[in-house]
Amino acid sequence: MVCLDELPEFNRASLEVLRQPLEDRHITISRIKYSIDYPASFMFVASMNPCPCGYYGDATHRCVCTPGQIQRYMNKISGPLLDRIDIHCEIQAVPFAQLSQMQPGEPSAVIRERVIAARKIQEERFKPYKGIHSNAMMTERMLHEFAEPDAASLDMLRMAMERLKLSARAYSRILKVARTIADLEGSEQVHSHHIAEAIGYRNLDRGDWAERGI
């Protein structure tokens, strides 16, 4: 696992190097006389503030950044790199009044069992395929076999692609995440509500970040 905090503060050229291993799960180092290929399959986790001051969209603090500053901050992360990140989650601060009244949620042990069950489903699914053991590793052909959306889901995906101007790579990532959501639910088929949830995890694909005011 690779964890990067304050993602836009890293050198952009260094971040762009991550594109190949995130896509191909290997990295190639080339020199004048030779080229070496190394396996590089890893989980990439990153976090960032919504703007330079950190308060954009915060209901309790005033953001002092201009739209241009926010856009420049976001532009430090390229679209091709974002395309290769399966899930983008925007997290809002929870007011103290709500924190003090929160009820106990689902126990971690229960969630863990559900994740283990989903992983076993994937291991069984990909037994015939050498080197493939999870939904994230599916090829385009496998997507058609194991995550083919129905008519309602296709309409939803088409609208999302057009409205958010998503790339073909983002389309594939949505299907892989939707397949995983279905596995966690114990569903053999990928349904429209799985697709809808997967689309909802593509927050940073929205081009109006600096104007949304949320």
Side-chain angles (χ1 to χ4, degrees):
M1 178 185 290
V2 175
C3 299
L4 299 182
D5 191 19
E6 294 292 350
L7 188 64
E9 301 301 330
F10 286 83
N11 179 275
R12 178 161 175 162
S14 298
L15 292 176
E16 292 301 294
V17 174
L18 292 171
R19 286 164 55 177
Q20 183 193 4
L22 284 172
E23 180 76 13
D24 303 325
R25 298 183 181 276
H26 66 82
I27 190 165
T28 303
I29 299 176
S30 299
R31 295 294 181 263
I32 295 175
K33 294 184 179 180
Y34 59 85
S35 178
I36 300 177
D37 189 87
Y38 291 103
S41 181
F42 61 96
M43 180 183 293
F44 178 59
V45 179
S47 63
M48 58 181 290
N49 284 321
C51 67
C53 79
Y55 290 121
Y56 179 67
D58 194 307
T60 60
H61 295 83
R62 179 176 176 272
C63 174
V64 297
C65 304
T66 65
Q69 288 175 318
I70 297 172
Q71 195 64 56
R72 283 192 295 274
Y73 180 77
M74 291 299 301
N75 284 344
K76 293 180 180 179
I77 309 169
S78 72
L81 179 59
L82 285 176
D83 263 355
R84 289 164 170 82
I85 300 175
D86 295 338
I87 296 175
H88 315 154
C89 287
E90 186 175 348
I91 301 173
Q92 297 288 329
V94 180
F96 176 78
Q98 292 184 24
L99 280 174
S100 61
Q101 298 173 7
M102 287 181 66
Q103 300 297 317
E106 188 176 19
S108 296
V110 175
I111 297 173
R112 180 177 183 273
E113 291 302 316
R114 190 162 63 246
V115 171
I116 290 173
R119 294 291 292 189
K120 287 181 179 178
I121 289 171
Q122 293 170 44
E123 288 172 4
E124 288 296 319
R125 175 182 297 135
F126 300 118
K127 266 187 177 178
Y129 304 92
K130 184 178 179 180
I132 307 293
H133 57 264
S134 69
N135 293 333
M137 304 172 75
M138 282 194 290
T139 63
E140 293 300 315
R141 184 175 181 178
M142 291 176 186
L143 284 175
H144 289 294
E145 183 176 355
F146 300 118
E148 187 71 24
D150 57 23
S153 299
L154 275 175
D155 287 340
M156 185 185 302
L157 270 171
R158 177 182 54 78
M159 289 188 291
M161 294 283 292
E162 292 173 354
R163 187 175 73 253
L164 303 178
K165 296 180 174 57
L166 300 178
S167 67
R169 185 176 287 109
Y171 173 86
S172 297
R173 301 278 172 170
I174 288 171
L175 289 181
K176 291 177 182 180
V177 172
R179 177 66 269 175
T180 301
I181 294 169
D183 289 342
L184 287 166
E185 196 177 89
S187 172
E188 292 186 8
Q189 301 297 322
V190 175
H191 298 294
S192 56
H193 65 280
H194 302 136
I195 296 289
E197 184 174 345
I199 292 171
Y201 293 144
R202 302 292 304 183
N203 283 14
L204 295 183
D205 284 328
R206 303 173 190 177
D208 60 342
W209 178 272
E211 290 81 31
R212 277 188 281 148
I214 59 175

